[in-house]
Amino acid sequence: MKHSRKNSEARTLIMMAKIISMLFRPIYYPVVCCVILLVVTPLSRLPWQYKVMETSIMMVFTIVMPLFFTACFRRFRHINRTDMRKRSNRIVPYLMTIMCYSGYLFLMRNAYMPYLLFSVISAALLIQIVCTLLSLVWKVSVHSAGSGAIIGAIAAYSQIFQFNPLAWMSVAIMIAGLVGTSRMILRQHSLSQIVVGTLIGVVCGYFGIAWGILIYGA
């Protein structure tokens, strides 16, 4: 009975880790961040039609297209989900994501995208580039990089809008901890890969926001 209970608890823990990993996939972060900006910043005064259109276009370039190209790559190379865990098989999908982000930035730069939204995609692109380059020689947790980027972005926005980031930062750190723990439970990454990924996210999230605003204003 005791052994059965331990197995049940282990299965529950693994299931929770899978749910957390699925909910906090890094590919979702740009859209989630932009939705938050459209709700809690001065961008909330924009017409709802514009906000829906902007969010929909962003979803196409940052979620739909990367997932579609990755699925095509897997089908062409006959790669299953387990094989995608290998570092060498993830480089091409990373490059495809970089191309989608870059194309979106180019199009929206000419369409005068609000600088706050531009900065989010800039930060996401910077993180993707750094993680892709690092993945050429070492496996890093992109999940942790995505959650760490939220911490860096909050720090940057707190300076721009002059607000106390403690509450938001606490939530972001808790999410980063949950994401990192779930990846370790699922044995997808080691502690060092998670820590490095989180640090990459924090640094790139912070400077990506500032870089995006700088480029937009140039």
Side-chain angles (χ1 to χ4, degrees), residues 40-73:
V40 303
T41 69
L43 295 178
S44 62
R45 294 193 291 267
L46 291 171
W48 69 267
Q49 295 93 336
Y50 176 85
K51 290 189 284 189
V52 171
M53 180 189 67
E54 193 68 58
T55 303
S56 300
I57 295 174
M58 184 178 296
M59 288 181 62
V60 170
F61 276 90
T62 63
I63 298 178
V64 177
M65 289 176 62
L67 290 178
F68 173 76
F69 289 139
T70 299
C72 291
F73 170 74

Side-chain angles (χ1 to χ4, degrees), residues 4 8-9 11 28-29 35 37 52 54 64 72 91 96 130 140 143 152 161 184 191 193 204:
S4 176
S8 177
E9 291 175 351
R11 287 194 296 269
Y28 300 144
Y29 282 117
V35 169
L37 290 175
V52 171
E54 193 68 58
V64 177
C72 291
I91 299 300
M96 292 176 177
V130 172
V140 65
H143 273 76
F161 295 108
M184 290 185 65
L191 178 60
Q193 292 167 350
C204 291

Side-chain angles (χ1 to χ4, degrees), residues 49 87 129 160:
Q49 295 93 336
R87 176 167 48 86
I129 292 174
I160 296 172

Side-chain angles (χ1 to χ4, degrees), residues 68-120:
F68 173 76
F69 289 139
T70 299
C72 291
F73 170 74
R74 287 178 52 195
R75 185 177 181 84
F76 178 75
R77 295 288 301 275
H78 303 289
I79 299 174
N80 56 37
R81 290 185 178 275
T82 302
D83 291 335
M84 285 299 293
R85 297 176 183 176
K86 297 179 181 179
R87 176 167 48 86
S88 58
N89 290 332
R90 300 169 71 175
I91 299 300
V92 172
Y94 286 171
L95 293 175
M96 292 176 177
T97 302
I98 289 174
M99 291 175 60
C100 292
Y101 282 18
S102 300
Y104 179 66
L105 277 180
F106 176 77
L107 292 176
M108 293 298 102
R109 175 79 160 80
N110 295 330
Y112 300 102
M113 175 199 289
Y115 76 92
L116 291 177
L117 302 185
F118 187 91
S119 66
V120 168

Side-chain angles (χ1 to χ4, degrees), residues 21 26 84-87 90 94 131 134-135 138-145 179-198:
S21 292
M84 285 299 293
R85 297 176 183 176
K86 297 179 181 179
R87 176 167 48 86
R90 300 169 71 175
Y94 286 171
C131 288
L134 185 58
S135 294
W138 191 61
K139 187 178 180 180
V140 65
S141 175
V142 182
H143 273 76
S144 296
V179 171
T181 302
S182 71
R183 301 306 287 170
M184 290 185 65
I185 291 175
L186 296 175
R187 298 182 179 180
Q188 297 295 315
H189 295 284
S190 64
L191 178 60
S192 60
Q193 292 167 350
I194 289 171
V195 171
V196 171
T198 302

